[in-house]
């Protein structure tokens, strides 16, 4: 459970996959692409709440009328917080340190249309997905502090489940979305191979932004012709 460097290229490939699927289905009316801000609140990292903020993009292709395959990618900007690391000379075996680092998460699962009025001005969906949260950080080593391992990297890889709800609506002619979800992914810390992880609690995730396609018109067979 050492260096998790390979997960960074994996996240980049996930982002590229979403954009590729969007480009292939852009002329179809069976998809949704949401893009905007993403926020993840961890209520308990070393007994303190920590908020990660950044951007997210998620794509859904509807295989059936109300059920679709869901992919989501979020990238969170670096944030500084307190974490605990093994400390060879402390009574409890750990010491708090300032840690700074960015994070990413990838989700895959299903989205189900729960409410879709005929007016098409609002839509409510439920999302159930698996998730991987990756976090890479660093800390400033005090030369007088004897950390039990050499190195100054923090690597967290947390597999979890994402359960969320999403609302798509129109503000004038602009389609917007807002979603919220719970990520159940608590992981115990570890140390070794020159890096460490820190204990992360489960999190609450909120996303908001623009939803595509901009307009869902009737298919040609549903257009009623007016005869004069």
């Amino acid at each position: 459970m050492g260096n998790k460097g390979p997960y960074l290229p994996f996240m980049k490939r996930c982002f590229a996959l979403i954009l590729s699927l969007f480009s292939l289905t852009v002329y179809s009316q069976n998809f949704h692409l949401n893009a905007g801000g993403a926020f993840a609140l961890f209520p308990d990292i070393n007994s303190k709440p920590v908020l990660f903020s950044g951007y997210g993009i998620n794509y859904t292709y509807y295989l059936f009328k109300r059920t679709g395959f869901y992919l989501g990618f979020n990238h969170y900007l670096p944030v500084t917080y307190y974490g605990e690391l093994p400390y060879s000379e402390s009574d409890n075996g750990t010491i708090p340190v300032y840690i700074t680092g960015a994070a990413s998460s990838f989700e895959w699962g299903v989205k189900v249309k729960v409410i879709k009025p005929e007016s098409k001005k609002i839509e409510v969906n439920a999302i159930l997905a698996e998730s991987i949260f990756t976090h890479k950080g660093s800390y400033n080593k005090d030369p007088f502090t004897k950390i039990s391992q050499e190195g100054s990297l923090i690597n967290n890889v947390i597999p979890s489940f994402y359960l969320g709800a999403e609302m798509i609506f129109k503000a004038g002619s602009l389609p917007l979305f807002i979603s919220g979800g719970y990520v159940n992914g608590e992981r115990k810390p570890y140390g070794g191979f020159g890096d460490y992880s820190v204990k992360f609690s489960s999190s609450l995730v909120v996303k908001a932004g623009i939803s595509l396609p901009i307009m869902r018109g009737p298919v040609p067979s549903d257009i009623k012709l007016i005869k004069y």
Side-chain angles (χ1 to χ4, degrees):
M1 299 187 62
N3 197 309
K4 300 298 187 299
Y7 279 89
L8 184 58
F10 171 72
M11 288 296 179
K12 291 181 179 179
R13 289 195 292 268
C14 293
F15 183 75
L17 174 63
I18 294 176
L19 293 182
S20 298
L21 289 174
F22 169 64
S23 64
L24 291 174
T25 59
V26 67
Y27 296 106
S28 167
Q29 295 210 0
N30 292 329
F31 79 94
H32 256 140
L33 182 75
N34 298 332
F39 306 89
L41 174 64
F42 292 85
D44 183 7
I45 299 181
N46 197 22
S47 302
K48 291 183 174 66
V50 177
L51 177 66
F52 283 83
S53 59
Y55 60 87
I57 180 172
N58 59 74
Y59 169 88
T60 305
Y61 185 79
Y62 287 97
L63 301 171
F64 305 100
K65 187 175 181 179
R66 288 184 172 270
T67 305
F69 177 62
Y70 171 87
L71 292 174
F73 173 83
N74 307 303
H75 179 72
Y76 302 104
L77 303 176
V79 65
T80 300
Y81 61 93
Y82 257 135
E84 286 189 346
L85 293 179
Y87 179 43
S88 59
E89 294 184 357
S90 69
D91 294 335
N92 60 7
T94 61
I95 186 172
V97 294
Y98 276 118
I99 297 172
T100 301
S104 296
S105 65
F106 179 65
E107 305 147 3
W108 64 97
V110 294
K111 180 191 288 187
V112 179
K113 295 179 182 179
V114 179
I115 300 175
K116 186 184 178 184
E118 291 299 325
S119 64
K120 299 182 181 177
K121 292 183 178 180
I122 188 171
E123 182 179 306
V124 179
N125 303 315
I127 302 168
L128 178 61
E130 292 188 72
S131 173
I132 291 182
F133 178 89
T134 65
H135 164 64
K136 177 170 285 190
S138 62
Y139 61 93
N140 293 325
K141 292 188 64 176
D142 187 333
F144 300 102
T145 300
K146 294 183 180 180
I147 303 294
S148 61
Q149 296 277 350
E150 294 297 327
S152 59
L153 294 178
I154 302 296
N155 281 302
N156 274 48
V157 177
I158 307 173
S160 56
F161 289 97
Y162 174 79
L163 177 63
E166 173 189 81
M167 182 171 67
I168 300 173
F169 60 96
K170 285 187 177 181
S173 59
L174 185 65
L176 303 175
F177 85 96
I178 183 170
S179 67
Y182 174 75
V183 179
N184 179 22
E186 191 168 327
R187 186 74 173 270
K188 293 183 178 180
Y190 67 86
F193 300 98
D195 62 6
Y196 304 90
S197 76
V198 291
K199 183 179 179 180
F200 271 48
S201 66
S202 298
S203 62
L204 300 174
V205 178
V206 175
K207 309 173 192 178
I210 298 176
S211 179
L212 297 175
I214 294 177
M215 180 91 48
R216 281 175 174 264
V219 297
S221 60
D222 292 338
I223 298 177
K224 295 181 179 180
L225 297 178
I226 300 177
K227 297 181 179 180
Y228 294 93

